[in-house]
Amino acid sequence: MAPVLRADRVSKSFGPVEVLSDVVLSLDPGEVHAVIGENGAGKSTLMRVLSGHLPPTKGGLVLDGEPVTLSGPVDAEHRGIVLIHQEILLADDLTIAQNLFLGREVRRGPFVDDAAMRRRAAEALAELGSTLAPDTLVRRLSIAERQFVQIARALLVPHRVVIFDEPTAVLTPIEADKLFAVIRRLRASGTAVLYISHRLPEVKAIADRVTVLRDGRLVATREIAGLEPIEMARLMVGRDMSKLYPEKPPLAGGDPVLAVRDARVPGFVDGVSFSLRRGEILGFGGLVGAGRTELFEGLMGLRPFSGAVEVDGRAMRFRDAAQAFAAGVAYVSEDRKGRGLLLGQSLRANLTLAALDRFTRGPIIDVGAEERALSGAIREFDIRARRPDLLASQLSGGNQQKLLLAKIMLLEPRIVIIDEPTRGVDIGTKEQIYRFIAGLSAQGRSVVVISSEMPELIGLCHRVLVMRNGGLAGEVGGADLTEDAIVFLATGVHEDDAARIAAGRSTHGAAPRAGHA
Amino acid sequence: MKKTIGLGLAALALSAGAALAQQKSVTVAVSIPAATHGWTGGVVYHAEETAKLLEKGYPGLKVIVKTSPNGAAQANALEDLMTQKVDALVVLPFNSDELTNPVREVKKRGTFITVVDRGLKDPAIQDVYVAGNNPEFGRVAGKYFVDNLKSGNVVVFRGIPTVIDEERVSNFEKALEGSGVKVIDKQYANWNRDDAFRVMQDFLQKHPKIDAVWASDDDMALGVMEAIRQSKREDVKFVLGGAGMKEMIKRVMDGDKMIPADVSYPPSMISTAMGVTAAHFYSNAPMRGTYVLNAQLITKENAKEHYFPNSPF
Amino acid sequence: MTDTALATAPARRWTMPDLTALSPFIALAALLLLGALVSDRFLTYDNLVNVATRSAFIAIIAVGATFVIASAGLDLSVGSMAALVAGVMIFVMNAVGAPGAATPGFLAALSGIVGTSPTGALVAGVGIALILSVLCGLANGLVVTYGRIEPFIVTLGTMGIFRALIVWLAAGGTITMRSFELREAYRPVYFGTLLGIPIPIVVFLAVALVGAVVLYKTAFGRHIVALGSNEDVARYSGVPIDRVRILAYAIQGLCVGIAVLVYVPRLGSATPTTGLLWELQAITAVVIGGTALKGGTGRIWGTVVGAVILELVANIMVLSSLVSEYLVGAVQGAIIIVAMLVQRSLQRRR
């Protein structure tokens, strides 16, 4: 079959820097083609060239065998090339239907035809297997639901090529499963799907072919058959990745450093108790919305909270983050951009913000000491910044995450709570972060890891607590630490079923859970 | 019918004698702007003083004084006043456009209407109109320059762009025509001291010789004086303000060389209006028509009549 | 990719000039040039000193506004606050300098402590002006912070309250320094010089210098910027955001107080129109200076230049005879917009 869209030796330079060189990629109708690579490998640049956001510096695009120049994303959409953004680009205060038709409202005479838009929105949502009401305000939706709305919006226009940019980054396994059903439907209808992801098991489950980029160059394009995630990782990183997770440091006994009894966060957490030992890496699993993040934000004094908290056997009550820091407890937010870093500020200002009183002489900040701390952090955490005077927003996701970890570590906390430590981070950086977490444990610090990635919890943690609907569903550890066990606790769904969901292989034989309209 | 009368409480004196016989009950409402500017502050002061005086002089008379911070609030205040039984309304409207209709509504109830200073769009509404004379204000000032300066360079300070300001300035310039007095520059300074100060500083930089200043307002004159003092320039012979602020009248009385005179535009015109209105009910001759308070030149000789040390203005 | 090239290079000072920070100065230079072309009296020492001196009040207030705006707040009450503080200050000086039967007990007692000499009255007036202005600022900050109300609304409310209080205090008229002696003793604070520089300029440079040190060099300044940049990040980083926010408004209040100390000796009086629209001028100066209204940046020196630019534009308009007085406002507005366009185009190039 002739490819519908082909990138013909595409190169892209920004100034003197070539970020994409000589990349060849062809998309066939009815295939799911995954593009994988580390952060900075050129995936997003390639995606933006294909969707008309960026013109290539050299080479060109071929659509249906004809060379084509896309004048912009609107032109690309007219030609049937649709990009689904990773960031949620919706107006919070409009309804789902209003968002779907924003800028292309259905009109009757001079007026918008709300009824027609509502009806068509309901159809579009149902096609995606969603039961959301079209009149719901987007503000009230979870992140996953918003993403479905965004996908529905993109697919409203006639499409032949659909590009997904890391669509599952914020989705739980069940939600991801629904998405895969949508993608398979697109494939069945002859649409070409370009799928960009960090999650290699997912790629294995959904893709027909895989193209690997590294440092802006094409490494290989392979059929999925016989290509295992471990090999994909090797191709991406350029070295053997079979040892992604470090050895778990041995766990010394002793009294708990942190004990929480009957923790409650109104509306989110309802009576959770647990304890954390010295040097322990304690995982918190569960679905998005199970109350894990809220539990620890409450503990840190960032939300209304009730319950008994003991640090080193002494009762504590943190009214704000500063008090928690003073007690040696620090929290790294899952929301790097919204709650972790000041994107518009320099790396230096970000690094020292939480521990600023360690960098002052009297009231005056010692900039020299800050600069030294930044050089140290760049070295120690391998933060890759073109220049040290960049703004935080100019770093890649992985490097932002390392900066955030460096910032929190300046507080020298004894208990580190890390929420989604590797969200939106490439595999090379993941490995570094895992080693860093294991290192904390080896130093005798205690770590809480909140993660939606089960391999991460299993590979990293001594023990995993699973939350469901604001309560503790159970604990798994040692030999029982398996994906099946975690998923069962997180969802309450029968184990066989859950296992299929976890592996993203739900559709073999069985009817897709997402259903069809 | 157009009567020209002198000043202030003259109207009151005229009608007080008539306040003899019949015991009756009359309510007069007075609606004026709140004291947000020196001049309106003076209006409020005179209205309150006159209310006391009239109530003492006319048995059975009740005067209600209401101040409002802006035009819309004044329209509301008028509606509120009408819920009480009011025989006459004395109103100094914020502006003509906004208040013409609200006052018309009051008139429809048979209330006697006296309008002060700023006229309404429809003159048929009013029974009595008491006004300052803005063209005359400019003419008197212009004449003073012609008589006393004879020839020389003058800078002019304008207020806020309004009809009042335009009438004053154009008649000032008309009065200068054919004389040796020349307007070399004019700028708006918003009837504001600080603005007048900065404009005068700039005028002094720009013009090497300024013989006199028409500040056209006493507040602005004070700012102008301070700028002249700072520059240590000797060429400016005098500054003529306007309105009759007590500090300025005092200087005229004391024979200050820089402030030899002032032009009246008295806030006490509200007193005249209230006096005329009361007289309508208590004297036998009905009072109707337009009363124009002529702008008067205040000099050392007559300054005493214009000096109200207790007024805030 | 290229990220790695300099990954671990030692922290290096990059000398490429930041055009955003420079742009107000470029606009200032352009205006000076324009002024020189339009009037030969423009580039005289006296004229430039007059303009710089006149810009002192707005500049000092705008330094405070830079703190509030950098923290993503807004204070619309500064003009009214200035009028109120000026009125109270004169009232206190009158009462303390010549206590009479009508003098409130508190001021009579104060008069007993500091004495009725001009110096005593001045000390009392200055002290009370500064205390009152900080209290006004604190009131704004406390309501914004603990009431969780938009600063726009809160300060619009206090703007009305402060304005009404001065109107009430002045009974619609003018509050004037009654003692001639005191007036003459205090007058040099506006008209006098220190080492040849007019005192208001000295004061506003000093305020700007202290402001710059606090904003750029202290932990508090860093916290202001963090708060304005992203409140959540600041909170999650342990920044005491409530305290920082309240202090920003208090600093604004203090700056208003200092501006009043320089303002009062000029004309020796306060009226209900004192400080009218100063809040807009201060905000304009801040924005011309390169501080974004959305918060997260603060450019003290840009703000100072912005205040001077505003005053210069008015000065050029009066000095030139090109425009009829009816159109002065339009040309002023146009010049400010052009200055902002120049600045934004420089920013985009970065």
Side-chain angles (χ1 to χ4, degrees), chain B residues 155-221:
Chain B
V155 291
V156 170
F157 285 72
R158 314 194 61 156
I160 292 170
T162 50
V163 177
I164 297 175
D165 181 71
E166 199 57 50
E167 284 179 354
R168 289 177 178 183
V169 173
S170 60
N171 282 284
F172 176 80
E173 291 183 319
K174 225 179 272 165
L176 296 187
E177 269 168 24
S179 75
V181 180
K182 210 176 112 210
V183 174
I184 54 170
D185 216 334
K186 50 186 175 181
Q187 283 293 338
Y188 287 107
N190 307 320
W191 286 317
N192 179 302
R193 265 176 222 211
D194 292 311
D195 291 347
F197 175 84
R198 73 179 65 186
V199 170
M200 190 62 200
Q201 269 196 337
D202 290 347
F203 278 165
L204 288 166
Q205 288 301 320
K206 187 177 175 187
H207 304 294
K209 188 158 187 315
I210 299 173
D211 293 297
V213 179
W214 187 44
S216 87
D217 173 79
D218 290 340
D219 257 316
M220 291 201 284

Coordinates of all heavy atoms in Angstrom, one line a residue, chain B residues 155-221:
Chain B
V155 N 0.0 84.6 30.0 CA -0.3 83.2 29.8 C -1.6 82.9 30.5 O -1.9 83.5 31.5 CB 0.9 82.3 30.3 CG1 2.1 82.4 29.5 CG2 1.2 82.6 31.8
V156 N -2.3 81.9 29.9 CA -3.7 81.6 30.3 C -3.7 80.2 30.8 O -3.2 79.3 30.1 CB -4.7 81.9 29.2 CG1 -6.0 81.4 29.6 CG2 -4.7 83.4 28.9
F157 N -4.4 80.0 32.0 CA -4.6 78.7 32.5 C -6.1 78.3 32.3 O -7.0 79.0 32.8 CB -4.2 78.6 34.0 CG -2.8 78.5 34.2 CD1 -2.0 79.7 33.9 CD2 -2.1 77.3 34.5 CE1 -0.6 79.6 34.1 CE2 -0.8 77.3 34.7 CZ 0.0 78.4 34.4
R158 N -6.3 77.2 31.6 CA -7.7 76.8 31.4 C -8.0 75.7 32.5 O -7.2 75.1 33.1 CB -7.9 76.2 30.0 CG -7.3 77.0 28.9 CD -7.7 76.6 27.6 NE -9.2 76.7 27.5 CZ -9.8 76.9 26.3 NH1 -9.2 76.9 25.2 NH2 -11.1 77.0 26.3
G159 N -9.3 75.5 32.7 CA -9.7 74.5 33.7 C -9.9 73.1 33.1 O -8.9 72.6 32.6
I160 N -11.1 72.6 33.2 CA -11.3 71.3 32.6 C -12.1 71.6 31.3 O -13.0 72.5 31.3 CB -12.1 70.4 33.5 CG1 -11.3 70.0 34.7 CG2 -12.7 69.1 32.8 CD1 -12.0 69.4 35.9
P161 N -11.9 70.9 30.2 CA -12.6 71.2 29.0 C -14.1 71.1 29.2 O -14.6 70.0 29.2 CB -12.1 70.2 28.0 CG -10.8 69.7 28.5 CD -10.9 69.9 30.0
T162 N -14.8 72.2 29.3 CA -16.3 72.3 29.5 C -16.8 73.5 28.8 O -16.0 74.4 28.5 CB -16.6 72.3 31.0 OG1 -15.9 73.4 31.6 CG2 -16.4 71.1 31.7
V163 N -18.1 73.7 28.8 CA -18.7 74.9 28.2 C -18.3 76.1 29.1 O -18.0 77.1 28.6 CB -20.2 74.7 28.2 CG1 -20.9 76.0 27.7 CG2 -20.6 73.5 27.2
I164 N -18.4 75.9 30.4 CA -18.0 77.0 31.3 C -16.7 77.5 31.0 O -16.5 78.7 30.8 CB -18.0 76.4 32.8 CG1 -19.4 75.9 33.2 CG2 -17.5 77.5 33.7 CD1 -19.4 75.3 34.5
D165 N -15.7 76.6 30.8 CA -14.3 77.0 30.6 C -14.2 77.8 29.2 O -13.6 78.8 29.1 CB -13.4 75.8 30.6 CG -12.0 76.2 30.3 OD1 -11.4 76.8 31.2 OD2 -11.5 75.9 29.2
E166 N -14.9 77.2 28.2 CA -14.8 77.7 26.9 C -15.4 79.2 26.9 O -14.9 80.1 26.3 CB -15.6 76.8 25.9 CG -15.3 77.0 24.5 CD -13.9 76.8 24.1 OE1 -13.3 75.8 24.6 OE2 -13.3 77.7 23.5
E167 N -16.6 79.4 27.5 CA -17.2 80.7 27.6 C -16.3 81.7 28.3 O -16.1 82.8 27.8 CB -18.5 80.6 28.3 CG -19.6 80.0 27.6 CD -20.9 79.9 28.4 OE1 -20.9 80.3 29.6 OE2 -22.0 79.6 27.8
R168 N -15.7 81.3 29.3 CA -14.8 82.2 30.0 C -13.6 82.6 29.2 O -13.3 83.8 29.0 CB -14.2 81.5 31.3 CG -15.3 81.3 32.4 CD -14.7 80.6 33.6 NE -15.7 80.5 34.6 CZ -15.4 79.9 35.8 NH1 -14.2 79.5 36.1 NH2 -16.4 79.8 36.7
V169 N -12.9 81.6 28.6 CA -11.7 81.9 27.9 C -12.0 82.7 26.6 O -11.2 83.7 26.3 CB -10.9 80.6 27.6 CG1 -9.7 80.9 26.7 CG2 -10.5 80.0 28.9
S170 N -13.0 82.3 25.9 CA -13.2 83.0 24.6 C -13.6 84.5 24.8 O -13.2 85.4 24.1 CB -14.3 82.3 23.8 OG -15.5 82.2 24.5
N171 N -14.4 84.7 25.9 CA -14.7 86.1 26.2 C -13.6 86.9 26.8 O -13.5 88.1 26.6 CB -15.9 86.2 27.1 CG -17.2 85.9 26.4 OD1 -17.7 86.8 25.6 ND2 -17.7 84.7 26.5
F172 N -12.7 86.2 27.5 CA -11.5 86.8 27.9 C -10.7 87.3 26.7 O -10.2 88.5 26.7 CB -10.6 85.8 28.7 CG -9.3 86.3 29.2 CD1 -9.2 87.2 30.3 CD2 -8.1 86.0 28.5 CE1 -8.0 87.6 30.8 CE2 -6.9 86.5 28.9 CZ -6.8 87.3 30.1
E173 N -10.5 86.5 25.8 CA -9.7 86.8 24.6 C -10.4 88.0 23.8 O -9.7 88.8 23.3 CB -9.5 85.6 23.7 CG -8.5 84.6 24.4 CD -8.2 83.4 23.6 OE1 -9.1 82.9 22.9 OE2 -7.0 83.0 23.6
K174 N -11.7 87.9 23.7 CA -12.5 88.9 23.0 C -12.2 90.3 23.7 O -12.0 91.3 23.0 CB -14.0 88.6 23.0 CG -14.6 88.8 21.7 CD -16.1 88.4 21.7 CE -16.3 87.0 21.4 NZ -17.7 86.6 21.7
A175 N -12.2 90.3 25.0 CA -12.0 91.5 25.7 C -10.6 92.1 25.5 O -10.4 93.3 25.6 CB -12.2 91.3 27.2
L176 N -9.7 91.3 25.2 CA -8.3 91.8 24.9 C -8.1 92.4 23.5 O -7.2 93.1 23.3 CB -7.3 90.6 25.1 CG -7.2 90.0 26.5 CD1 -6.0 89.0 26.5 CD2 -7.0 91.0 27.6
E177 N -9.1 92.0 22.7 CA -8.9 92.4 21.3 C -8.6 93.9 21.1 O -9.3 94.7 21.8 CB -10.1 92.1 20.4 CG -10.0 90.7 19.9 CD -11.4 90.2 19.3 OE1 -12.2 91.0 19.0 OE2 -11.5 89.0 19.2
G178 N -7.7 94.3 20.3 CA -7.4 95.7 20.1 C -6.5 96.3 21.1 O -6.1 97.4 21.0
S179 N -6.2 95.6 22.2 CA -5.3 96.1 23.2 C -3.9 95.6 23.0 O -3.6 94.8 22.1 CB -5.8 95.7 24.6 OG -5.4 94.4 24.8
G180 N -3.0 96.1 23.8 CA -1.6 95.7 23.6 C -1.3 94.4 24.4 O -0.2 93.9 24.4
V181 N -2.4 93.8 25.0 CA -2.2 92.6 25.8 C -2.3 91.4 24.9 O -3.2 91.3 24.2 CB -3.2 92.5 27.0 CG1 -3.0 91.3 27.8 CG2 -3.1 93.8 27.8
K182 N -1.3 90.6 25.0 CA -1.2 89.4 24.1 C -1.2 88.1 24.8 O -0.4 88.0 25.8 CB 0.1 89.6 23.2 CG 0.0 89.0 21.8 CD 1.2 89.3 21.0 CE 1.9 88.0 20.8 NZ 3.4 88.1 20.7
V183 N -2.0 87.2 24.4 CA -2.0 85.8 25.0 C -0.9 85.0 24.3 O -1.0 84.7 23.1 CB -3.3 85.1 24.9 CG1 -3.2 83.7 25.4 CG2 -4.4 85.8 25.7
I184 N 0.2 84.7 25.0 CA 1.3 84.0 24.3 C 1.2 82.5 24.5 O 1.8 81.7 23.8 CB 2.7 84.5 24.8 CG1 2.8 84.4 26.3 CG2 2.9 85.9 24.2 CD1 4.2 84.7 26.8
D185 N 0.4 82.0 25.4 CA 0.3 80.6 25.6 C -0.9 80.2 26.5 O -1.3 81.0 27.3 CB 1.6 80.0 26.3 CG 1.9 78.6 25.7 OD1 1.0 77.9 25.2 OD2 3.1 78.3 25.7
K186 N -1.5 79.1 26.2 CA -2.6 78.6 27.1 C -2.6 77.1 27.2 O -2.2 76.4 26.2 CB -3.9 79.2 26.7 CG -4.3 79.0 25.3 CD -5.6 79.7 24.9 CE -5.7 79.5 23.4 NZ -6.9 80.2 22.8
Q187 N -2.9 76.6 28.4 CA -2.9 75.1 28.6 C -4.0 74.8 29.6 O -4.3 75.6 30.5 CB -1.6 74.7 29.2 CG -0.4 74.6 28.2 CD -0.6 73.5 27.2 OE1 -1.4 72.5 27.4 NE2 0.1 73.6 26.0
Y188 N -4.5 73.6 29.5 CA -5.4 73.1 30.5 C -4.7 72.7 31.8 O -3.6 72.0 31.7 CB -6.2 71.9 30.0 CG -7.2 72.2 29.0 CD1 -7.1 71.9 27.7 CD2 -8.4 72.9 29.4 CE1 -8.0 72.2 26.7 CE2 -9.4 73.2 28.4 CZ -9.2 72.9 27.1 OH -10.1 73.2 26.2
A189 N -5.2 73.1 32.9 CA -4.6 72.6 34.2 C -5.6 72.1 35.2 O -5.4 72.0 36.4 CB -3.7 73.7 34.8
N190 N -6.8 71.9 34.6 CA -7.9 71.1 35.3 C -8.3 71.7 36.6 O -8.7 71.0 37.5 CB -7.4 69.7 35.6 CG -6.9 69.0 34.3 OD1 -7.5 69.2 33.2 ND2 -5.8 68.3 34.3
W191 N -8.2 73.0 36.8 CA -8.7 73.7 38.1 C -8.0 73.0 39.2 O -8.5 72.8 40.3 CB -10.2 73.6 38.2 CG -10.9 74.5 37.3 CD1 -10.6 75.8 37.0 CD2 -12.1 74.3 36.5 NE1 -11.5 76.4 36.1 CE2 -12.4 75.4 35.8 CE3 -12.9 73.1 36.4 CZ2 -13.5 75.5 34.9 CZ3 -14.0 73.2 35.5 CH2 -14.3 74.4 34.8
N192 N -6.7 72.6 39.0 CA -6.0 71.8 40.0 C -4.7 72.5 40.3 O -3.9 72.9 39.4 CB -5.8 70.4 39.4 CG -5.0 69.5 40.4 OD1 -3.9 69.8 40.7 ND2 -5.6 68.4 40.7
R193 N -4.4 72.6 41.6 CA -3.1 73.3 42.0 C -1.9 72.7 41.5 O -1.0 73.3 41.0 CB -3.0 73.2 43.5 CG -3.5 74.4 44.2 CD -3.5 74.1 45.7 NE -4.7 74.6 46.2 CZ -4.8 75.1 47.5 NH1 -3.8 75.0 48.3 NH2 -6.0 75.5 47.9
D194 N -1.8 71.3 41.6 CA -0.6 70.6 41.2 C -0.3 70.8 39.7 O 0.8 71.0 39.3 CB -0.6 69.2 41.6 CG -0.6 69.0 43.1 OD1 0.3 69.6 43.7 OD2 -1.5 68.3 43.6
D195 N -1.4 70.6 38.9 CA -1.2 70.7 37.5 C -0.8 72.1 37.1 O 0.0 72.3 36.2 CB -2.5 70.3 36.8 CG -2.8 68.9 36.9 OD1 -1.9 68.1 37.4 OD2 -4.0 68.4 36.6
A196 N -1.4 73.1 37.8 CA -1.1 74.5 37.5 C 0.4 74.8 37.8 O 1.1 75.5 37.1 CB -2.0 75.5 38.3
F197 N 0.9 74.2 38.9 CA 2.3 74.4 39.3 C 3.2 73.9 38.2 O 4.1 74.5 37.7 CB 2.5 73.6 40.6 CG 4.0 73.6 41.0 CD1 4.5 74.6 41.7 CD2 4.8 72.5 40.7 CE1 5.9 74.6 42.1 CE2 6.2 72.5 41.0 CZ 6.7 73.6 41.8
R198 N 2.9 72.6 37.7 CA 3.8 72.1 36.7 C 3.7 72.8 35.3 O 4.7 73.1 34.7 CB 3.6 70.6 36.5 CG 2.3 70.2 35.8 CD 2.3 68.7 35.7 NE 2.1 68.1 37.0 CZ 2.1 66.8 37.2 NH1 2.3 66.0 36.3 NH2 1.9 66.3 38.4
V199 N 2.5 73.2 35.0 CA 2.4 74.0 33.7 C 3.1 75.3 33.8 O 3.8 75.8 32.9 CB 0.9 74.2 33.3 CG1 0.8 75.1 32.2 CG2 0.3 72.8 33.0
M200 N 3.0 76.0 35.0 CA 3.6 77.3 35.1 C 5.2 77.1 35.1 O 5.9 77.9 34.5 CB 3.2 77.9 36.4 CG 3.6 79.4 36.6 SD 2.9 80.4 35.2 CE 4.1 81.8 35.3
Q201 N 5.7 76.0 35.7 CA 7.1 75.8 35.6 C 7.5 75.7 34.2 O 8.6 76.3 33.8 CB 7.4 74.4 36.3 CG 7.8 74.6 37.8 CD 8.5 73.3 38.3 OE1 8.3 72.2 37.7 NE2 9.2 73.5 39.4
D202 N 6.8 75.0 33.4 CA 7.1 74.9 32.0 C 7.0 76.2 31.2 O 7.8 76.5 30.4 CB 6.3 73.7 31.3 CG 6.6 72.4 31.9 OD1 7.7 72.3 32.5 OD2 5.9 71.4 31.6
F203 N 5.9 76.9 31.5 CA 5.8 78.2 30.9 C 7.0 79.1 31.2 O 7.5 79.8 30.3 CB 4.5 78.9 31.4 CG 3.2 78.5 30.7 CD1 2.0 78.8 31.3 CD2 3.2 77.8 29.5 CE1 0.8 78.4 30.6 CE2 2.1 77.4 28.9 CZ 0.8 77.7 29.5
L204 N 7.4 79.1 32.4 CA 8.6 79.9 32.8 C 9.8 79.5 32.0 O 10.7 80.3 31.7 CB 8.8 79.9 34.3 CG 7.7 80.6 35.1 CD1 7.8 80.2 36.6 CD2 7.9 82.1 35.0
Q205 N 9.9 78.2 31.8 CA 11.1 77.7 31.0 C 10.9 78.2 29.5 O 11.9 78.6 28.9 CB 11.2 76.2 31.0 CG 11.6 75.6 32.3 CD 13.0 76.1 32.7 OE1 13.9 76.3 31.8 NE2 13.2 76.5 34.0
K206 N 9.7 78.2 29.0 CA 9.5 78.4 27.6 C 9.5 79.8 27.2 O 10.1 80.2 26.2 CB 8.1 77.8 27.3 CG 7.8 77.7 25.8 CD 6.4 77.1 25.6 CE 5.9 77.1 24.2 NZ 4.6 76.6 24.1
H207 N 9.0 80.7 28.1 CA 8.9 82.1 27.7 C 9.8 82.9 28.6 O 9.6 83.0 29.8 CB 7.4 82.6 27.9 CG 6.4 81.7 27.1 ND1 6.4 81.7 25.7 CD2 5.5 80.8 27.5 CE1 5.5 80.8 25.3 NE2 4.9 80.3 26.4
P208 N 10.7 83.6 28.0 CA 11.6 84.4 28.7 C 11.0 85.6 29.4 O 11.4 86.1 30.4 CB 12.7 84.9 27.7 CG 12.1 84.6 26.4 CD 11.1 83.6 26.5
K209 N 9.8 86.1 28.8 CA 9.2 87.3 29.5 C 7.7 87.0 29.5 O 7.0 86.9 28.5 CB 9.5 88.5 28.7 CG 9.0 89.8 29.4 CD 9.8 91.0 28.9 CE 9.4 92.3 29.7 NZ 8.0 92.4 29.9
I210 N 7.2 87.0 30.8 CA 5.8 86.8 31.0 C 5.4 88.0 31.9 O 6.0 88.2 33.0 CB 5.4 85.5 31.7 CG1 5.8 84.3 30.8 CG2 4.0 85.4 32.0 CD1 5.7 83.0 31.5
D211 N 4.5 88.8 31.4 CA 4.1 90.0 32.2 C 3.1 89.8 33.2 O 3.1 90.4 34.3 CB 3.7 91.2 31.3 CG 4.9 91.6 30.4 OD1 5.8 92.1 31.0 OD2 4.8 91.4 29.2
A212 N 2.1 88.9 32.9 CA 1.1 88.6 33.9 C 0.5 87.3 33.5 O 0.6 86.7 32.5 CB 0.0 89.7 33.8
V213 N -0.3 86.7 34.5 CA -0.9 85.4 34.4 C -2.4 85.5 34.6 O -2.8 86.1 35.7 CB -0.2 84.4 35.4 CG1 -0.9 83.0 35.2 CG2 1.3 84.3 35.2
W214 N -3.2 85.0 33.7 CA -4.6 84.8 34.1 C -4.8 83.3 34.4 O -4.8 82.4 33.6 CB -5.5 85.2 32.9 CG -7.0 85.1 33.3 CD1 -7.5 85.6 34.5 CD2 -8.1 84.5 32.6 NE1 -8.8 85.4 34.5 CE2 -9.2 84.7 33.4 CE3 -8.2 83.9 31.4 CZ2 -10.5 84.3 33.0 CZ3 -9.4 83.4 31.0 CH2 -10.6 83.6 31.8
A215 N -4.9 83.1 35.7 CA -5.0 81.7 36.2 C -6.4 81.2 36.2 O -6.7 80.0 36.2 CB -4.5 81.6 37.6
S216 N -7.4 82.2 36.1 CA -8.8 81.9 35.9 C -9.5 81.2 37.0 O -10.6 80.9 36.9 CB -9.1 81.2 34.5 OG -8.9 79.8 34.6
D217 N -8.7 80.8 38.0 CA -9.3 80.1 39.1 C -8.3 80.2 40.3 O -7.1 80.2 40.1 CB -9.4 78.6 38.7 CG -9.8 77.7 39.9 OD1 -11.0 77.7 40.2 OD2 -8.9 77.1 40.5
D218 N -8.8 80.4 41.5 CA -8.0 80.6 42.7 C -7.1 79.4 43.0 O -5.9 79.6 43.4 CB -8.8 81.0 43.9 CG -9.4 82.4 43.7 OD1 -8.9 83.2 42.8 OD2 -10.4 82.7 44.3
D219 N -7.6 78.2 42.9 CA -6.8 77.0 43.1 C -5.6 77.0 42.2 O -4.4 76.8 42.6 CB -7.6 75.8 42.9 CG -8.1 75.1 44.2 OD1 -7.2 75.1 45.1 OD2 -9.2 74.7 44.3
M220 N -5.8 77.3 40.9 CA -4.7 77.3 40.0 C -3.8 78.4 40.3 O -2.5 78.3 40.1 CB -5.3 77.3 38.5 CG -6.0 76.1 38.1 SD -6.1 75.8 36.4 CE -7.4 77.0 35.9
A221 N -4.3 79.6 40.7 CA -3.4 80.7 41.0 C -2.4 80.4 42.1 O -1.3 80.8 42.0 CB -4.3 81.9 41.4

